[in-house]
Amino acid sequence: MAREIGEAGDAKSSTIKKHKRKKTKKESKTRIVHANILYDHAKGGDNPNRHYANNKIKTTKYTLLSFIPKNLFEQFHRFANVYFVFIALLNFVPVVNAFQPELALAPVVFILSVTAIKDLWEDYRRHRSDKEINHLDCLVYSSERCYVEQYWKEVRVGDFIRLRCNEILPADVLLLSSSDPDRLCHIETATLDGETNLKQRQVVRSFIDLFDPLKYNSVIECEKPNNDLNRFRGYIIHRNGRRDGLYKDNLLLRGCTIRNTEEAVGIVIYAGHETKAMLNNNGPRYKRSKLERQMNVDVFWCVIILLVMCLLFARLRNNKYWIHITHHVTNMVTFFPFCHFYMGFICPLFLLCSQVLIPISLFVSIEIVKICQVFFIHQDMELYDEETDSHLQCRALNITEDLGQMQYIFSDKTGTLTENKMVFRRCTVAGVEYSHDANARRLAMYQEVDSEEEECLSHGGTLPRRESLCSQHSGKVVLRSQSTKSHRRTGSRAEAKRASILSKHTEKDITPDPQLLDKVNDCGSQMEFMRFHSQLLNQIPPDLCDVFDFFIALTICNTVVVSSPNQPRQKVSISSSSSLTTNRSSSQRACSSMLSSPSAESTLTKLNEEHFPGQGLQQAFSPVPPNYDQAKASAPDKCELRYEAESPDEAALVYAARAYKCSLVGRLPDQVTVELPHLGKLTFELLHTLGFDSTRKRMSVVVRHPLTEQITVYTKGADSVIMDLVRPPSGNELGKRQRKILFKTQNYLNLYAADGLRTLCIAKKVLSKEEYAGWLRCHLEAETAIQGREELLFESALRLETDLHLLGATGIEDRLQDGVPETIAALRRAGLQIWVLTGDKQETAINIAYACKLLDPEEEIITLNAESQEACAVLLDESLHYIQAKFLCGSSADPHAAKAFQQDYTALRFTGPPVCSPAFSGPSSPFLVHRLGLVIDGRTLAYALDKSLEDKFLAVARSCRSVLCCRSTPLQKSMVVKLVRNKLKVMTLAIGDGANDVSMIQVADVGVGISGQEGMQAVMASDFALPRFQYLQKLLLVHGHWCYSRLANMILYFFYKNAMFVALIFWYQFYCGFSGSAMIDQWYLIFFNLMFSAFPQLITGTLDKDVSAETLQELPQLYMSGQNSEEYKPYMFWMNMIDAFYQSLICFFIPYFAYADSNVDLFTWGTPITTLALFTILLHLGIETKTWTWMNWTSIAFSIVLFFMVALCYNASCPTCYSPSNPYWTMERLLGDPLFYLMCIITPIAALLPRYALLHLTVLRTLTIVFMYESVCKYSFWHP
C-alpha cells in the first residue's frame, strides 16, 4: 500500500510539473481537477484544488455588515424617502426648525424601519433555506479509506462521492462508477429543465471496471464553469499518458435526483456557486412597482413646486408693495414671531411649514392598503384549490398593483400548463380505427359528465391529407398552415373538467378496445399453434400480423426502464438464458441522438457466420424457440411492473401495450424481454437503438426476432416524417392494400389532430442479410470516425429508415390542467401577450400549444431552427422580409410603417389586414400583432439572444400572436424575459412551477410560482404562489385591476388633498408679508392628515370597486385600462394640482370676504378655513368613490365627528395657548354663528362643481363602453 501511495505521489508530482508548463496558456480556458485523496497528508497550500469554490451556497442579499447601508440604498430609490430625511434633518437646525427635531424624525425612522424589517424577514427566509440545503448529508470518501457522511457545504472539488438511489446530487459530479450492469446512471432533471422523465448518463469510458478510489491517479482537465446545461467538454489524463474524452453524458448536475440506480460514484468537478445550476440562478432583485416609479416622478414635481413657492416668498419678502399690503392685516400677523425673520431663513422655514405637500402619511397609508388588499385576496375562496388544500400566497407586499398592469406573460409548460401525464385515447392499426369507446366512457364516469359529450369520433371520413411541413436542417423559414379548424373541437369547459379529473388517474389505467383485444388474442393463439406445427406465417392474415407487430413495436421501441412497485424507481433484474446473446460491451454514445448500441464489429463478425432464411414476413417458426419457456408461458408473472420513461408518451404507449397483454418485463443493454399473449416471455436481441432527435423526429430499434430470426427495424415518430418514409410496393395486391391503409391512416391522423391529440406513427422494416451487413459496415465507419461523427451517424440512420411498412398510428392526450385553454383565451382578450418558454422537445411543445389554444390551426407558424449564428441571422432576415411583404406591402399598408420596419426593428408600428389584433407593448405607438406563431428551439434562441441579433429577434417575436421557445435553459428563460422587459419597456409576468423557472420568476416584474409536483423552489422565489394556472385569470383580471385602480386613485387623491391644504397656507402668505406663518393652529396642521382625513381614504383604497368581479371576468377587455395606465396618467397629476389650487382659492377667499370687515382674530378666521377644507376634501372623496358600503359612510361620519370633538375639547381647554391671540372657545363661538353654517354649505358646492361635472362625463363614458361590451356579449351568446 505504501508503495502504491508513493507511486501515486510521484505521478502526482510529475503531472503537476507537466501542467505547470501549460498553465499560462490554458489558465483562462480550462480547469484542472486532482483527487483530494492524494493530498490528504499534504499541507492545505499544496492542494491544487484549493482555489476552487467550496460547496456552500448563499442566496441572501444581505450580510450583517451590508444590511443597513444596502437596504437604505434600496429604500432611497424611493425619492420621497430622501425628501423626508432631508426635512427631518433640517429640523435639527435651530434657526429654522418648525417642529421638535425628535418629533420630525420619528415618522421617517418608523417608515424606514418597517420596510427594513420586512426585507430582513424575507432575506432570513432565504438564509434559512440555504442553511437547510448546506446541511444535507452525502457520502464522501475520506482519509480513513471509507465513505463517511458529510454536510453538503463541506464537499470540495476533487472529492469522491457515493450516490444512492433517490438521492439529490450535491454538486456537479463526473460519473466514474455505477451499479447498473450497462454502466449507466439514470437521473431525473426536473429541477433543471422541468422534465420528470428520466435521463441516462454514462460512466467515463476508461472506468468500465469496478472503481477503487485508492487506485485513482488520473488528472481531469475540463472547461471552466459555465451556465450551459447541455455542454461539458474535457478529457481525463491517465498515469500512462492516455487521454479519454469527457462529454455531457458523463456529468451529473447538481440538483438532479438519482433514479433506478442503486449506487454510483463520481468525482466533484464544480461545487457551490460554480455549478451549472447555480450559474443559471440570477438571484433575487429588488422590485419596485410601476405605480411607485410613476409616483416618484410626481413626488419630484411636488418638491419642485415647493421650492418654487419658497423662492417666490423669499423674493417677495423685500418687495415694498407687498410690505405695504401687509399693513392692512397687521392684526393677523403681529401675533406670530415668524413674521420678521431674515430673508435667508424664510425659504427653509416655509419649506418646513409646507412639508405636508409630500406627506409621510401617504406612504404609511399605501402600506396599510396593500396589506388589506392582500388579506382580501387571501379570503377569496375561488382562489382556493380543494384538491391540494392550498390557496393563493402573496409573498411580496410592495407590487400588488402591478398585477393590474401586466402586458407580457412568460409561462413554463410542464407542470404549469400541463400535468405532464399522458393518456392513451385512440389508435388505428392496418387501416382500421379503434376508438376505445369503453375507455372514454370510463373516463367520463370519473368526471361525472354525460358520456355522450366525451365519446370520440369513430367515423373516418375522407379528409385530405394534412399539410405538415417540417423545418429543414439549418435551412429556411417554415410556414405551416393547417386547415383543420372545422374539425378541431373548441376548448369547452367539459374538456377542461375532463383534463382535471384525468389527472387523478395514472396513464396505466386503460380499458382495451374489445375488437382489437380479440385480434391480439386471435393472432397469439394462431402463432402458438403454428409454432408447434412448424407452419408458415403466410397462413396468418396480414392484418393480424400487423396488429401483433404494432404492439411489439409499442413495447420495445423505446428506452423505458422497468421498475418494481414494492421498490419504486429500482431497476428490476431479469434473468434470461438466451442462446442468441453474445458477449458485447456497450460502446460510448456517439452523439446526442444515437443511443449506445452493441459493438458493431462483433455483430458484423457474427453476421458472416450465420445462416439467414429467406426475406419476408412469411417465415417458418423454429420447432423449439430458443427463448421460449413453457412454464413461464403457462404461469405468467403476476407481479405488476412500473415503467420509467424518458418521455411521458413513451410510458403511456408501454402501458397501452400492457393493457393488451403485451408487456415489457425486462431490459438489458443487448436484449429486451417481453411477455406476449399465448407465447409467454420472449427475448428480442437488441442490435441497435437509434434515439429520437428533433431533426429526424423519430426513433428506431434494430432487433433480431426470437421466433423468425429476422433482422427487424421498428420505427415510431411524428406522422409528418413517417408517412413520407412509407413506400408501398407497386403493381401487386400487397401494394394496393398498403396504399389503402396509408390513405385511411392519414384520414384518422387528421381526426386525431383535430381532436387535439398527440399523434405518432408506427412502422417496421425487415432487412435481409446483405442489406443489414452493408448498412452495418457504413455504420461502423460512422461510429469510429473522428471528424464529423454526428453528421455521419445521422446519415447512417437516414439510410436505415427508408421504405418502411406502415403498421398504424396512436393518439395520446396530454393532460392539461383544468381551465388552461379558457384562461389563455381570457388573458388574450385582455390584451396580454403570452409566450411559453419550455425545456421540452419542439414537437411536444407544439402539440401542447395547440391543445391549450396558444397556437391556432389557422395561424401561420414561423419555425426557426439554426445550426449556427450566421444561419440564425439568415432565418431572422427572411422572417422579417416575409412579415414586411405580407403585412406591410399590401394595398392597405402604410409606407411609413414599412420604412420604420426597415430602419428600427424595436419600434415597429404594424398595420395590416383584419386578421391582426391590437397589442399594447410599451411607451411607443401601439402596433398590431398578426395571426402568426413563432417556434424557436434552444440552440437558435441562444444565437438570437446575441447582441447583434436580439433586435431582429424582438422584431419578429413581437409581431407574432404566440411565441413558443423550446429546449430553453433556465438562463435563456431569464434572458428572454429581461430582453423583452428592458427593450420594449413593458410589464412582464413569469409563471412556473420548478427550480428551472426560478431565474425568470426573479427577473420578471411579477413572479408567480405554481405549487406543483416539482418542489417549492419556484414558490419560494416568487412574489405570488397559485395552486393552479387557471387562478391567474381572476388574480390579474379582477384583483389586479382592483388593486391598481384603488392605489392609483388613492395616490392622486393624496396629492390633491395635501396640495389643497398647503395652498391655503400659500394664499395666506400674500397677507402676512411672506413670513412663513400660518393661520391654522399647529395642532390642526399635525392632526389633519394623521387623524381627520385618514380613515375614509383607507376604506376607499381597500374596498372600492369600479367594476364588479363578474363584469371584469366576462369582459377581459376592461383590463386594458391598467395596461395603458389610464387611472394614473401624468396629466392627471397636474389636473389634480390645478383642481387643488382652485378649491383652495374657494375655501380661502369665501371665509376671507365673509370676515373682511369684522374684527375676528386669526384663529377665528383660520378655523372655518380648516373646517371647510375638511368638508370639501371628504366630499371630493365621496365623488371619487365608485362603490358605497356602510364602512364608507361610517368612516366619513367618524372623521367629521372626530374633528369637531377634538376642536371643541382643545378650544375649551386652552385659554392661554397663543397669547394674545388664542384658540380658546373658538369652535364653540363658530357653532353659534349662522354665517359659519352658510359657508359650510356654499363653499364645498362651489369648490367641487367643476370636479363633479368632469367626473360625471367620465363615468358616463365608462358606463357606455361597459354597456356596449355587455350588449355585444349577450348578443354573441344568444346569436352564435
Side-chain angles (χ1 to χ4, degrees):
M1 180 64 67
R3 181 181 301 175
E4 291 178 357
I5 295 176
E7 291 174 354
D10 295 338
K12 172 194 68 177
S13 302
S14 62
T15 306
I16 292 175
K17 292 178 180 178
K18 179 178 179 181
H19 287 285
K20 276 184 177 179
R21 293 191 296 267
K22 300 181 180 180
K23 186 176 181 181
T24 305
K25 294 182 179 180
K26 298 187 178 181
E27 186 175 8
S28 61
K29 295 182 180 180
T30 63
R31 73 159 38 182
I32 298 173
V33 178
H34 301 259
N36 289 331
I37 191 67
L38 301 177
Y39 298 89
D40 282 341
H41 301 289
K43 296 181 180 180
D46 295 334
N47 192 330
N49 300 329
R50 67 186 182 278
H51 300 295
Y52 303 142
N54 58 33
N55 205 41
K56 183 178 180 179
I57 65 167
K58 175 181 173 294
T59 60
T60 56
K61 291 199 299 184
Y62 309 112
T63 64
L64 290 177
L65 295 177
S66 68
F67 171 70
I68 293 179
K70 191 172 183 179
N71 187 262
L72 288 177
F73 175 76
E74 290 177 345
Q75 291 198 58
F76 286 154
H77 280 78
R78 180 182 281 180
F79 182 75
N81 287 338
V82 180
Y83 169 78
F84 293 144
V85 171
F86 171 73
I87 292 296
L89 294 178
L90 197 60
N91 273 281
F92 281 89
V93 180
V95 183
V96 297
N97 65 335
F99 305 99
Q100 293 184 1
E102 297 80 6
L103 184 65
L105 190 62
V108 183
V109 173
F110 175 77
I111 289 294
L112 297 178
S113 299
V114 169
T115 306
I117 291 173
K118 182 190 68 174
D119 294 340
L120 182 63
W121 170 248
E122 292 180 354
D123 209 53
Y124 173 72
R125 289 191 304 179
R126 285 189 287 266
H127 168 73
R128 193 168 54 185
S129 176
D130 293 343
K131 184 177 180 181
E132 183 179 341
I133 293 174
N134 288 328
H135 285 79
L136 293 175
D137 292 329
C138 63
L139 293 176
V140 180
Y141 196 78
S142 68
S143 57
E144 287 80 13
R145 304 299 185 261
C146 63
Y147 288 96
V148 297
E149 285 194 353
Q150 290 186 5
Y151 291 139
W152 277 24
K153 67 178 183 179
E154 298 172 347
V155 173
R156 300 172 298 164
V157 173
D159 281 345
F160 292 111
I161 295 182
R162 175 182 288 176
L163 306 164
R164 293 157 293 185
C165 187
N166 299 329
E167 185 175 351
I168 301 175
L169 283 154
D172 290 352
V173 176
L174 188 69
L175 185 60
L176 301 179
S177 175
S178 173
S179 60
D180 191 271
D182 51 352
R183 323 311 293 168
L184 295 176
C185 180
H186 299 270
I187 60 173
E188 187 180 273
T189 60
T191 57
L192 295 180
D193 55 20
E195 297 183 8
T196 55
N197 48 290
L198 300 184
K199 306 291 194 304
Q200 291 183 354
R201 296 295 180 262
Q202 290 185 334
V203 173
V204 176
R205 177 178 297 181
S206 52
F207 292 93
I208 297 298
D209 299 330
L210 188 63
F211 176 75
D212 184 2
L214 292 178
K215 297 181 180 179
Y216 179 89
N217 52 19
S218 304
V219 176
I220 298 170
E221 185 167 357
C222 60
E223 59 189 4
K224 281 189 173 293
N226 59 75
N227 53 38
D228 193 344
L229 298 176
N230 298 314
R231 190 188 73 176
F232 176 70
R233 296 173 183 173
Y235 52 86
I236 184 168
I237 308 171
H238 300 287
R239 183 181 178 185
N240 57 9
R242 183 168 63 91
R243 294 188 178 188
D244 288 324
L246 304 177
Y247 309 96
K248 71 180 183 71
D249 295 326
N250 306 128
L251 190 67
L252 309 179
L253 300 182
R254 177 190 174 108
C256 297
T257 305
I258 302 294
R259 303 294 192 193
N260 287 25
T261 307
E262 294 181 4
E263 187 177 290
V265 176
I267 184 172
V268 176
I269 301 297
Y270 308 119
H273 288 276
E274 293 182 343
T275 58
K276 292 181 180 292
M278 293 301 296
L279 289 173
N280 273 276
N281 188 350
N282 289 327
R285 72 180 184 94
Y286 181 73
K287 294 184 179 181
R288 293 188 302 140
S289 68
K290 181 180 180 181
L291 197 59
E292 181 181 331
R293 295 193 297 269
Q294 290 177 305
M295 185 180 67
N296 259 356
V297 176
D298 292 339
V299 167
F300 175 77
W301 283 116
C302 285
V303 173
I304 297 298
I305 294 172
L306 200 55
L307 291 176
V308 169
M309 292 167 61
C310 293
L311 293 174
L312 177 65
F313 295 159
R315 177 66 183 87
L316 294 177
R317 171 67 179 169
N318 290 338
N319 190 290
K320 295 181 179 180
Y321 173 76
W322 292 111
I323 293 176
H324 175 72
I325 292 294
T326 56
H327 287 311
H328 297 284
V329 288
T330 302
N331 61 323
M332 297 183 183
V333 176
T334 54
F335 303 128
F336 277 80
F338 299 133
C339 296
H340 303 289
F341 262 156
Y342 179 71
M343 175 185 172
F345 301 124
I346 295 300
C347 185
L349 176 62
F350 186 79
L351 183 65
L352 291 176
C353 293
S354 305
Q355 62 178 298
V356 67
L357 182 64
I358 310 171
I360 200 168
S361 59
L362 167 62
F363 299 93
V364 177
S365 301
I366 287 176
E367 297 299 327
I368 294 174
V369 166
K370 287 183 178 181
I371 292 174
C372 294
Q373 288 177 349
V374 168
F375 172 78
F376 285 112
I377 292 175
H378 282 179
Q379 299 303 309
D380 190 346
M381 294 306 298
E382 293 186 12
L383 300 181
Y384 170 75
D385 186 55
E386 186 176 359
E387 181 180 343
T388 59
D389 191 25
S390 57
H391 55 81
L392 177 139
Q393 302 176 39
C394 179
R395 304 171 57 83
L397 300 179
N398 58 328
I399 56 174
T400 53
E401 63 272 26
D402 276 348
L403 293 173
Q405 295 187 277
M406 291 296 106
Q407 294 166 290
Y408 276 74
I409 294 179
F410 299 89
S411 174
D412 179 39
K413 182 191 74 67
T414 307
T416 303
L417 301 179
T418 72
E419 297 184 352
N420 202 27
K421 295 179 181 179
M422 306 293 177
V423 183
F424 182 87
R425 296 305 301 264
R426 307 169 72 175
C427 70
T428 172
V429 185
V432 180
E433 208 267 342
Y434 302 96
S435 58
H436 291 74
D437 291 330
N439 193 48
R441 285 192 295 269
R442 177 182 64 85
L443 298 174
M445 180 183 64
Y446 284 140
Q447 61 194 30
E448 298 179 355
V449 296
D450 188 6
S451 61
E452 293 180 0
E453 295 181 3
E454 300 304 313
E455 286 182 355
C456 300
L457 295 175
S458 58
H459 57 279
T462 56
L463 300 178
R465 178 168 179 172
R466 182 174 52 146
E467 298 178 13
S468 182
L469 303 177
C470 62
S471 58
Q472 301 299 324
H473 185 66
S474 74
K476 57 184 180 181
V477 181
V478 179
L479 301 172
R480 300 183 184 178
S481 179
Q482 296 178 342
S483 57
T484 58
K485 183 178 180 181
S486 60
H487 307 287
R488 183 180 292 274
R489 292 182 180 179
T490 58
S492 62
R493 294 191 178 272
E495 286 182 327
K497 186 177 181 182
R498 178 189 65 193
S500 175
I501 300 299
L502 285 175
S503 64
K504 302 177 183 177
H505 309 282
T506 62
E507 59 270 18
K508 63 183 179 181
D509 296 334
I510 298 170
T511 303
D513 188 272
Q515 182 183 359
L516 184 57
L517 183 61
D518 290 341
K519 289 187 177 182
V520 173
N521 289 327
D522 188 17
C523 184
S525 61
Q526 290 189 38
M527 284 189 173
E528 183 186 22
F529 177 81
M530 295 177 183
R531 175 174 49 80
F532 287 107
H533 295 81
S534 300
Q535 295 182 4
L536 298 178
L537 271 176
N538 56 10
Q539 298 181 14
I540 301 178
D543 58 335
L544 291 183
C545 289
D546 287 347
V547 168
F548 218 66
D549 279 327
F550 176 81
F551 283 104
I552 289 176
L554 294 186
T555 307
I556 68 174
C557 188
N558 50 64
T559 57
V560 173
V561 178
V562 185
S563 301
S564 174
N566 56 349
Q567 293 180 336
R569 294 192 180 274
Q570 298 286 339
K571 177 172 284 190
V572 175
S573 57
I574 301 295
S575 59
S576 177
S577 56
S578 172
S579 60
L580 297 176
T581 304
T582 58
N583 295 325
R584 302 191 279 278
S585 62
S586 299
S587 62
Q588 184 74 16
R589 194 188 308 188
C591 67
S592 60
S593 64
M594 306 300 169
L595 298 178
S596 58
S597 303
S599 171
E601 293 179 341
S602 59
T603 305
L604 188 60
T605 303
K606 184 175 182 294
L607 188 65
N608 295 326
E609 301 173 356
E610 291 179 347
H611 173 70
F612 274 79
Q615 181 184 2
L617 285 174
Q618 295 74 24
Q619 300 299 327
F621 284 105
S622 303
V624 182
N627 299 326
Y628 177 70
D629 189 334
Q630 188 173 4
K632 292 181 179 179
S634 59
D637 190 1
K638 296 181 180 180
C639 178
E640 183 182 0
L641 300 176
R642 180 175 301 168
Y643 302 124
E644 302 287 354
E646 289 196 10
S647 62
D649 52 351
E650 277 193 347
L653 293 177
V654 175
Y655 279 120
R658 192 179 70 174
Y660 288 91
K661 302 179 183 179
C662 300
S663 304
L664 174 66
V665 296
R667 180 182 295 277
L668 292 174
D670 53 1
Q671 63 186 40
V672 180
T673 303
V674 300
E675 186 172 5
L676 303 176
H678 302 283
L679 295 175
K681 292 183 180 179
L682 299 177
T683 299
F684 289 78
E685 183 182 3
L686 183 59
L687 302 176
H688 301 278
T689 300
L690 307 178
F692 180 91
D693 63 61
S694 58
T695 306
R696 288 169 43 247
K697 299 181 182 178
R698 57 189 179 273
M699 78 163 293
S700 299
V701 293
V702 184
V703 298
R704 192 191 307 274
H705 203 288
L707 300 178
T708 63
E709 299 294 324
Q710 290 177 322
I711 302 294
T712 307
V713 181
Y714 290 103
T715 302
K716 72 174 181 183
D719 57 310
S720 58
V721 295
I722 296 295
M723 298 298 282
D724 293 333
L725 298 176
V726 175
R727 294 289 185 271
S730 58
N732 56 18
E733 203 62 32
L734 180 61
K736 184 178 180 181
R737 174 181 175 272
Q738 278 291 303
R739 283 189 293 273
K740 186 177 180 180
I741 291 175
L742 187 66
F743 180 75
K744 288 184 176 180
T745 302
Q746 185 61 60
N747 290 339
Y748 294 128
L749 285 171
N750 289 337
L751 287 176
Y752 293 171
D755 217 16
L757 302 181
R758 295 158 57 96
T759 56
L760 285 175
C761 285
I762 313 298
K764 64 172 289 188
K765 178 181 181 180
V766 178
L767 297 177
S768 64
K769 175 181 177 181
E770 294 75 15
E771 290 174 335
Y772 179 62
W775 175 83
L776 189 58
R777 292 188 183 93
C778 297
H779 191 71
L780 177 60
E781 295 176 0
E783 284 186 338
T784 57
I786 298 177
Q787 300 292 334
R789 180 185 302 176
E790 294 186 0
E791 290 76 9
L792 292 175
L793 287 172
F794 177 81
E795 294 173 0
S796 176
L798 293 182
R799 285 194 298 271
L800 182 68
E801 298 164 334
T802 56
D803 299 331
L804 301 179
H805 171 79
L806 183 64
L807 297 175
T810 60
I812 300 175
E813 180 181 21
D814 190 357
R815 300 174 181 174
L816 292 174
Q817 288 191 15
D818 186 17
V820 168
E822 292 84 354
T823 302
I824 290 178
L827 294 176
R828 272 187 165 159
R829 291 200 302 274
L832 288 156
Q833 296 293 105
I834 302 176
W835 292 22
V836 173
L837 314 177
T838 177
D840 271 0
K841 295 181 295 186
Q842 187 166 303
E843 286 297 322
T844 303
I846 291 174
N847 286 330
I848 296 301
Y850 277 114
C852 69
K853 313 305 179 188
L854 179 72
L855 296 177
D856 190 87
E858 289 198 350
E859 285 182 350
E860 291 182 276
I861 307 300
I862 300 177
T863 304
L864 302 181
N865 293 333
E867 296 295 333
S868 65
Q869 188 165 339
E870 293 75 14
C872 179
V874 172
L875 291 179
L876 291 173
D877 287 335
E878 291 183 6
S879 302
L880 290 171
H881 293 154
Y882 171 78
I883 296 172
Q884 181 183 8
K886 183 165 185 177
F887 298 103
L888 296 175
C889 295
S891 57
S892 61
D894 183 3
H896 299 289
K899 185 176 181 180
F901 185 94
Q902 295 174 349
Q903 293 180 351
D904 188 2
Y905 293 114
T906 62
L908 301 180
R909 178 182 176 87
F910 290 100
T911 56
V915 297
C916 307
S917 60
F920 303 91
S921 298
S924 59
S925 331
F927 62 94
L928 294 179
V929 175
H930 309 299
R931 294 297 294 265
L932 292 172
L934 176 64
V935 178
I936 183 171
D937 66 338
R939 179 181 295 182
T940 311
L941 183 61
Y943 300 139
L945 292 176
D946 186 80
K947 290 292 183 182
S948 61
L949 297 179
E950 60 182 16
D951 289 343
K952 292 182 180 180
F953 169 66
L954 267 184
V956 175
R958 72 183 300 196
S959 61
C960 295
R961 183 168 173 263
S962 307
V963 177
L964 183 62
C965 301
C966 314
R967 287 298 185 194
S968 305
T969 65
L971 186 62
Q972 285 178 337
K973 291 183 179 182
S974 65
M975 291 174 66
V976 170
V977 176
K978 187 183 298 184
L979 178 67
V980 173
R981 189 195 70 201
N982 295 340
K983 287 280 187 178
L984 301 183
K985 306 299 181 184
V986 293
M987 296 295 292
T988 58
L989 180 146
I991 180 170
D993 70 319
N996 60 315
D997 305 315
V998 168
S999 293
M1000 75 170 181
I1001 285 175
Q1002 292 176 336
V1003 166
D1005 294 295
V1006 173
V1008 179
I1010 302 290
S1011 50
Q1013 303 175 357
E1014 299 179 17
M1016 298 296 291
Q1017 294 95 330
V1019 172
M1020 294 296 293
S1022 65
D1023 304 309
F1024 299 88
L1026 294 175
R1028 291 184 177 274
F1029 180 84
Q1030 65 170 339
Y1031 299 141
L1032 186 64
Q1033 177 180 348
K1034 187 170 187 182
L1035 178 65
L1036 295 183
L1037 303 188
V1038 178
H1039 293 291
H1041 176 87
W1042 284 345
C1043 289
Y1044 166 71
S1045 177
R1046 291 164 178 169
L1047 279 173
N1049 285 283
M1050 191 185 78
I1051 291 171
L1052 289 173
Y1053 175 77
F1054 251 103
F1055 282 129
Y1056 144 78
K1057 181 186 72 172
N1058 293 283
M1060 187 258 198
F1061 198 64
V1062 168
L1064 296 174
I1065 304 175
F1066 172 78
W1067 303 126
Y1068 177 63
Q1069 301 308 305
F1070 291 90
Y1071 297 94
C1072 72
F1074 306 100
S1075 62
S1077 60
M1079 72 292 186
I1080 301 174
D1081 189 279
Q1082 66 172 355
W1083 288 106
Y1084 292 160
L1085 286 174
I1086 294 174
F1087 288 131
F1088 191 85
N1089 277 316
L1090 185 63
M1091 294 174 55
F1092 302 150
S1093 62
F1095 300 106
Q1097 63 198 11
L1098 291 179
I1099 297 299
T1100 302
T1102 303
L1103 300 178
D1104 197 28
K1105 299 177 181 178
D1106 57 341
V1107 187
S1108 66
E1110 294 75 14
T1111 304
L1112 287 172
Q1113 294 196 80
E1114 291 175 1
L1115 304 174
Q1117 294 84 352
L1118 297 176
Y1119 185 80
M1120 294 181 184
S1121 63
Q1123 291 177 326
N1124 302 326
S1125 300
E1126 293 180 3
E1127 300 282 350
Y1128 197 112
K1129 295 281 189 181
Y1131 76 87
M1132 293 181 176
F1133 168 79
W1134 294 107
M1135 287 188 64
N1136 274 272
M1137 291 293 103
I1138 295 173
D1139 193 24
F1141 275 84
Y1142 164 76
Q1143 293 183 23
S1144 66
L1145 280 171
I1146 300 298
C1147 292
F1148 180 87
F1149 282 103
I1150 286 182
Y1152 174 79
F1153 289 114
Y1155 293 107
D1157 297 327
S1158 65
N1159 59 352
V1160 297
D1161 63 2
L1162 183 66
F1163 289 135
T1164 305
W1165 173 53
T1167 301
I1169 294 177
T1170 306
T1171 307
L1172 296 176
L1174 179 64
F1175 285 173
T1176 303
I1177 287 171
L1178 292 179
L1179 287 176
H1180 183 108
L1181 179 64
I1183 292 175
E1184 295 289 340
T1185 301
K1186 283 87 174 178
T1187 304
W1188 281 88
T1189 64
W1190 66 269
M1191 296 187 69
N1192 296 90
W1193 292 105
T1194 303
S1195 63
I1196 292 178
F1198 174 77
S1199 296
I1200 296 174
V1201 171
L1202 180 65
F1203 170 73
F1204 281 103
M1205 288 182 62
V1206 171
L1208 290 171
C1209 294
Y1210 169 61
N1211 293 161
S1213 60
C1214 190
T1216 57
C1217 291
Y1218 296 100
S1219 179
S1221 178
N1222 63 70
Y1224 181 71
W1225 216 249
T1226 299
M1227 183 58 72
E1228 284 80 357
R1229 289 195 302 269
L1230 288 173
L1231 291 178
D1233 186 2
L1235 182 61
F1236 174 74
Y1237 293 99
L1238 181 63
M1239 287 189 298
C1240 289
I1241 296 174
I1242 295 176
T1243 305
I1245 293 176
L1248 295 175
L1249 193 60
R1251 166 66 60 169
Y1252 179 77
L1254 178 64
L1255 190 66
H1256 178 73
L1257 295 176
T1258 305
V1259 171
L1260 185 62
R1261 176 177 174 271
T1262 303
L1263 292 177
T1264 303
I1265 294 174
V1266 172
F1267 177 75
M1268 290 174 61
Y1269 273 130
E1270 290 179 341
S1271 301
V1272 169
C1273 291
K1274 290 180 181 179
Y1275 182 83
S1276 301
F1277 178 79
W1278 293 109
H1279 302 83

